[in-house]
């Protein structure tokens, strides 16, 4: 394989989940600029990755009977990791992960309300595979992740899993429920400091009647349908006044409406909060931290540029992401390796870069529990704590254990790949540092890796020596602090 521009590797670590050698060859031929466009305009590539689950040549899954990611949450988690590893649309999966954390919704609460099977359907079901055409929340996010932020927020306000998670199904004029209205302002849009407690109560009243309908043909129906319903009779029709503008003319009051028209109250409030300049700045800053750097703050001029573009284009997320990935700040080497990888990013990248022959993604699901991230199960409505919070002692040990488990299964392929260049230990080390793309090692750490290869006798590059040393070397690299950052 011809050398690949480091800027492309950086792009694929951030806008995807790293790259396999085959993917590096593909994107290297495209060049950086065309790679950005391929990642952004991903609809040009077929979204058929799920059809390859269980096929030869792909990472495996572990089944307990029939593999059923629409109804079994463990299988849903395996399917998502499989997608991260093999999708031809890596940025779509990366954006889906970002929004899954932004609109953090936990399977466990939904399961407590409706049981495990239906909770999995509400979180992960693909509509074209579900008997009732139910679409899970994460599938909705995947479909809308690069469209209008306003449309995405409206979809989340109506999402059945969200209606369970934040108790919207119980929100009535007799007993307004504050959870969704609060989180709409605090977590989903403008953030703390831009709303008051009175606004929270007003927002609760705005969303009265935004409830959940469950339909079933019988009590024993194995696949009831869950859908948003606006119950006009449960809607508070009085005017609601806020501390911030709701309409372009500066008015802060949603007017009194007839109950039948009351759903417009929620649409007006969502439109107001996603249009509010603090929302624009907060959103582009969150995107910066996820895609560009957690260690280096974004320049004010870039935040202003991105926020203005977001507001001027009806909240176009694709345009914002294109500008981020094409920006000089994203391309700057000062922002390489300045983000701590989430466990999902870590395991998907490891599998891509190390290999997956004979490996089941279910082993990644199990290890991710100890790393601190369970897909479909954020710890609370604020999502996962990020940055260095991922790197606890237990979390690092889990990453090291996963690295050992993965590399053991790939020994044969790793030895076969490095054998043509294995004349010296430095050549072996150089090959794997290039393939695995950790952040640069200092001289001391580099020499420790080299010493591992040369310990125990003269270097010969024999099959026996390679089979002894290569798995350990790859384990040391993937389990190191230099591999944690991306």
């Amino acid at each position: 394989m011809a050398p690949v521009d480091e800027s492309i590797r950086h792009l694929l670590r951030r806008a995807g989940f790293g790259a396999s050698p085959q993917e590096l060859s593909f994107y290297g031929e495209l060049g950086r600029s065309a790679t950005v466009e391929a990642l952004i305009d991903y609809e040009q590539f077929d979204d058929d990755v799920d059809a390859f689950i269980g096929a030869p040549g792909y990472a495996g899954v572990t089944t307990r009977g029939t593999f059923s990611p629409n109804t079994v949450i463990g299988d849903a988690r395996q399917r998502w990791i499989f997608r991260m590893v093999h999708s031809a649309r890596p940025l779509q999966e990366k954006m889906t992960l970002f929004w899954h954390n932004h609109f953090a919704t936990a399977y466990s609460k939904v399961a407590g309300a409706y049981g495990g099977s239906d909770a999995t359907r509400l979180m992960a079901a693909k509509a074209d595979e579900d008997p009732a055409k139910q679409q899970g929340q994460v599938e909705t996010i995947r479909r809308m992740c690069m469209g209008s932020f306003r449309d995405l927020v409206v979809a989340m306000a109506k999402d059945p899993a969200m209606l369970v998670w934040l108790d919207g199904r119980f929100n009535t004029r007799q007993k307004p429920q504050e959870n969704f209205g609060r989180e709409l302002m605090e977590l989903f849009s403008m953030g703390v400091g831009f709303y008051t407690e009175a606004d929270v109560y007003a927002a609760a009243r705005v969303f009265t009647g935004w409830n959940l309908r469950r339909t079933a043909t019988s009590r024993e129906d194995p696949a009831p349908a869950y859908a948003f319903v606006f119950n006009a009779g449960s809607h508070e029709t009085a005017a609601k006044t806020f501390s911030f503008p709701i309409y372009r003319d500066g008015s802060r009051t949603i007017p009194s409406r007839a109950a039948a028209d009351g759903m417009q109250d929620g649409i007006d409030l969502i439109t107001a909060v996603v249009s509010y300049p603090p929302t624009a700045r907060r959103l582009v800053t969150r995107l910066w931290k996820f895609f560009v750097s957690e260690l280096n703050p974004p320049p004010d001029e870039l935040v202003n540029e991105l926020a203005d573009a977001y507001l001027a284009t009806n909240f176009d997320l694709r345009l914002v992401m294109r500008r981020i990935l094409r920006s000089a700040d994203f391309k700057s080497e000062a922002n390489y390796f300045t983000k701590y990888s989430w466990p999902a990013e870590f395991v998907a990248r490891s599998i891509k870069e190390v290999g997956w022959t004979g490996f089941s993604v279910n082993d990644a699901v199990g290890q991710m529990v100890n790393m601190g991230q369970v897909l479909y199960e954020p710890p609370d409505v604020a999502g996962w704590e990020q940055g260095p919070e991922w790197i606890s002692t237990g979390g690092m040990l889990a990453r090291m254990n996963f690295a050992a488990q993965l590399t053991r299964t790939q020994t044969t392929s790793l030895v076969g790949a490095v054998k043509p260049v294995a004349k010296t230990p430095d050549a072996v080390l150089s090959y794997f540092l290039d393939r695995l793309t950790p952040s640069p090692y200092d001289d001391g750490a580099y020499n420790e890796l080299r010493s591992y290869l040369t310990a125990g006798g003269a270097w010969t590059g024999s099959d026996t020596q390679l089979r002894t040393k290569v798995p350990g070397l790859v384990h040391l690299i993937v389990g190191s602090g230099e591999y944690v950052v991306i």
Side-chain angles (χ1 to χ4, degrees), residues 342-401:
W342 296 12
E345 294 175 298
F346 171 81
V347 300
R349 175 191 173 198
S350 300
I351 296 168
K352 278 175 171 283
E353 294 184 345
V354 175
W356 53 75
T357 303
F359 183 78
S360 171
V361 294
N362 187 62
D363 293 330
V365 172
Q367 292 284 6
M368 282 176 63
V369 175
N370 295 325
M371 294 180 205
Q373 184 172 40
V374 180
L375 296 174
Y376 301 103
E377 197 68 61
D380 54 43
V381 73
W384 290 281
E385 291 192 31
Q386 299 162 41
E389 297 300 322
W390 288 123
I391 315 305
S392 65
T393 301
M396 275 303 297
L397 179 60
R399 294 189 189 218
M400 293 174 68
N401 288 340

Side-chain angles (χ1 to χ4, degrees), residues 157-432:
K158 296 179 177 180
D159 178 75
M162 183 67 75
L163 289 165
V164 177
W165 174 237
L166 292 182
D167 303 310
R169 61 189 177 131
F170 300 131
N171 194 5
T172 65
R173 61 185 175 84
Q174 293 86 0
K175 192 175 181 180
Q177 168 53 246
E178 297 181 359
N179 286 351
F180 180 78
R182 180 186 300 277
E183 306 313 343
L184 171 66
M185 295 181 288
E186 179 173 329
L187 296 175
F188 303 161
S189 61
M190 49 197 179
V192 175
F194 296 100
Y195 69 91
T196 67
E197 281 301 307
D199 292 333
V200 173
Y201 182 62
R205 293 162 57 222
V206 161
F207 290 105
T208 50
W210 286 53
N211 302 146
L212 180 64
R213 178 179 66 237
R214 179 183 185 274
T215 61
T217 57
S218 69
R219 185 181 296 273
E220 293 76 28
D221 189 342
Y226 296 83
F228 165 80
V229 61
F230 177 67
N231 288 316
S234 293
H235 182 67
E236 167 59 64
T237 59
K240 297 97 177 171
T241 298
F242 291 83
S243 65
F244 52 85
I246 300 296
Y247 301 105
R248 291 186 176 181
D249 64 2
S251 172
R252 300 184 176 192
T253 299
I254 295 176
S256 175
R257 290 186 170 106
D261 300 322
M263 198 173 95
Q264 189 62 42
D265 289 6
I267 302 299
D268 287 357
L269 179 56
I270 289 172
T271 301
V273 297
V274 302
S275 305
Y276 203 37
T279 296
R281 294 182 61 83
R282 180 171 181 266
L283 181 59
V284 301
T285 300
R286 286 176 67 88
L287 288 167
W288 166 280
K289 289 181 178 179
F290 188 69
F291 286 98
V292 185
S293 180
E294 290 175 319
L295 304 182
N296 300 324
D300 287 341
E301 56 270 24
L302 181 65
V303 172
N304 292 335
E305 175 194 340
L306 295 172
D308 289 347
Y310 161 88
L311 294 170
T313 58
N314 293 317
F315 329 114
D316 186 339
L317 296 168
R318 191 181 301 264
L319 180 145
V320 171
M321 284 304 304
R322 178 174 274 110
R323 292 197 178 187
I324 287 175
L325 297 182
R326 296 187 73 88
S327 70
D329 296 284
F330 182 89
K331 291 184 282 187
S332 170
E333 292 185 12
N335 288 318
Y336 287 13
F337 304 110
T338 57
K339 177 183 181 297
Y340 293 89
S341 59
W342 296 12
E345 294 175 298
F346 171 81
V347 300
R349 175 191 173 198
S350 300
I351 296 168
K352 278 175 171 283
E353 294 184 345
V354 175
W356 53 75
T357 303
F359 183 78
S360 171
V361 294
N362 187 62
D363 293 330
V365 172
Q367 292 284 6
M368 282 176 63
V369 175
N370 295 325
M371 294 180 205
Q373 184 172 40
V374 180
L375 296 174
Y376 301 103
E377 197 68 61
D380 54 43
V381 73
W384 290 281
E385 291 192 31
Q386 299 162 41
E389 297 300 322
W390 288 123
I391 315 305
S392 65
T393 301
M396 275 303 297
L397 179 60
R399 294 189 189 218
M400 293 174 68
N401 288 340
F402 174 76
Q405 183 179 20
L406 176 64
T407 54
R408 279 197 302 269
T409 67
Q410 304 307 304
T411 297
T412 298
S413 60
L414 291 170
V415 168
V418 77
K419 187 171 177 58
V421 299
K423 294 181 180 180
T424 68
D426 291 289
V428 172
L429 182 52
S430 177
Y431 172 85
F432 283 113

Side-chain angles (χ1 to χ4, degrees), residues 111-150:
Y114 294 117
S117 177
D118 279 1
T120 304
R121 294 173 65 226
L122 293 184
M123 293 297 299
K126 297 178 69 173
D128 61 356
E129 297 177 1
D130 186 83
K133 305 302 180 185
Q134 189 73 51
Q135 179 167 269
Q137 184 188 93
V138 169
E139 287 297 317
T140 298
I141 291 172
R142 181 173 286 115
R143 179 171 57 85
M144 303 182 72
C145 66
M146 290 277 275
S148 160
F149 183 58
R150 174 188 176 277

